[in-house]
C-alpha cells in the first residue's frame, strides 16, 4: 500500500474526498499523516474523524524555512511516506522538501494552468471573464503552480454566480484528484 501525506492549510475538503475515495476502494493508498502549517485549521477536525494523525507546525516557530521543512521531512521518513499530496497548502515548497521527495510531490490548483496561478485562481478567472475554467493536478517544483501537468478537467463558469462556479470547481477537484493519484500510484504517469 502506498503511504501518502496530505498537506493542507485550511478546510481540507480535498483531503476528505481523497480519504473517502480510499475507503470506497477507488484509490489504493493510505493517508499516514496530515500536515498543516496552520495549527487549528479545520483540516485537523476532519483528520480526527478518520483517526489520521496530524503534524501541525507553524513555520514561524522555526529559524529558517529549511529547518521547518526538515522537521516535516523527518516525520515523513519516520512514517515511510512515499508521496506528498498538496491539497490547499498555501505555501511554496522549497529545496529541502523538493530534494527529499523529488518527483513525488503533487498539487491541485483550481484553474486550467498555466492560466491563473497563485492565490484566488477562481476570482482571477471570473475577473477575466472566462467562460470555461477548470482544475489542474501537477507535479510541484519551486515555482508557483508551475510544475509539469498531470491531469486537467474543464468546468463551465456559471455566469453571475460565483458560489455555483466554486461548487462546480470543488466537485471537479475531488473527482480529478482521486483519478490522477490512482494513475500516479499505479505507475501509469511518468514522474517528471
Ligand atoms: C482548493 O481549491 C485547492 O485547489 C486550492 O485550495 C483549495 C483548498 O480547498 N489549492 P480544501 O482545503 O481542500 O477544501
Amino acid at each position: 500500500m502506498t503511504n501518502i501525506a496530505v498537506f493542507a492549510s485550511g478546510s481540507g475538503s480535498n483531503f476528505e474526498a481523497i480519504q473517502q475515495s480510499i475507503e470506497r476502494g477507488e484509490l489504493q493508498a493510505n493517508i499516514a499523516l496530515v500536515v498543516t502549517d496552520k495549527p487549528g485549521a479545520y483540516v485537523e477536525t476532519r483528520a480526527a474523524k478518520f483517526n489520521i494523525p496530524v503534524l501541525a507546525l507553524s513555520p514561524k516557530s522555526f529559524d529558517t524555512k529549511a529547518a521547518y521543512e526538515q522537521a516535516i521531512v523527518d516525520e515523513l521518513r519516520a512514517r515511510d511516506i512515499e508521496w506528498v499530496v498538496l491539497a490547499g497548502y498555501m505555501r511554496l515548497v522549497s529545496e529541502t522538501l523538493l530534494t527529499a521527495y523529488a518527483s513525488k510531490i503533487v498539487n491541485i490548483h483550481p484553474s486550467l494552468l498555466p492560466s491563473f496561478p497563485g492565490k484566488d485562481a477562481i476570482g482571477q478567472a471570473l475577473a477575466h471573464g472566462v467562460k470555461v475554467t477548470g482544475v489542474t493536478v501537477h507535479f510541484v517544483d519551486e515555482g508557483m503552480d508551475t510544475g509539469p501537468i498531470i491531469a486537467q478537467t474543464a468546468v463551465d463558469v456559471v455566469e453571475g454566480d460565483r458560489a455555483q462556479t466554486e461548487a462546480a470547481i470543488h466537485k471537479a477537484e475531488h473527482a480529478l484528484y482521486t483519478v490522477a493519484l490512482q494513475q500516479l500510484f499505479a505507475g501509469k504517469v511518468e514522474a517528471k
Side-chain angles (χ1 to χ4, degrees):
M1 189 64 77
T2 308
N3 275 337
I4 68 174
V6 177
F7 285 35
S9 302
S11 160
S13 72
N14 278 282
F15 152 73
E16 184 155 352
I18 294 166
Q19 176 60 22
Q20 285 169 344
S21 299
I22 290 171
E23 292 186 358
R24 285 196 301 266
E26 292 167 11
L27 177 61
Q28 274 68 56
N30 169 49
I31 304 179
L33 188 66
V34 166
V35 176
T36 185
D37 60 327
K38 295 265 187 263
Y42 188 62
V43 69
E44 291 191 24
T45 305
R46 294 192 200 253
K49 265 199 314 197
F50 299 102
N51 288 316
I52 296 174
V54 176
L55 176 67
L57 293 179
S58 173
K60 282 182 293 201
S61 57
F62 291 83
D63 287 341
T64 61
K65 187 160 187 182
Y68 163 69
E69 289 197 343
Q70 190 59 53
I72 295 173
V73 168
D74 291 346
E75 197 67 36
L76 300 180
R77 294 285 190 227
R79 292 171 188 271
D80 283 327
I81 284 162
E82 199 182 326
W83 285 88
V84 169
V85 175
L86 307 186
Y89 181 67
M90 304 301 283
R91 193 167 287 281
L92 281 177
V93 171
S94 56
E95 202 187 336
T96 305
L97 257 165
L98 287 169
T99 306
Y101 280 85
S103 300
K104 295 280 190 182
I105 309 179
V106 294
N107 182 42
I108 191 158
H109 183 76
S111 76
L112 291 175
L113 291 171
S115 291
F116 313 124
K119 286 198 176 136
D120 191 21
I122 299 173
Q124 291 182 54
L126 295 179
H128 203 91
V130 299
K131 307 298 178 204
V132 177
T133 182
V135 174
T136 303
V137 175
H138 64 94
F139 287 104
V140 170
D141 62 14
E142 61 290 334
M144 175 86 82
D145 304 316
T146 50
I149 290 170
I150 297 166
Q152 291 185 306
T153 306
V155 174
D156 286 334
V157 169
V158 184
E159 271 185 59
D161 195 334
R162 179 171 173 140
Q164 265 203 60
T165 304
E166 255 175 11
I169 288 174
H170 291 311
K171 195 171 168 205
E173 286 190 315
H174 299 164
L176 185 69
Y177 225 173
T178 292
V179 172
L181 292 174
Q182 180 59 29
Q183 289 179 347
L184 269 180
F185 301 160
K188 290 186 183 152
V189 179
E190 196 190 326
K192 291 183 185 156

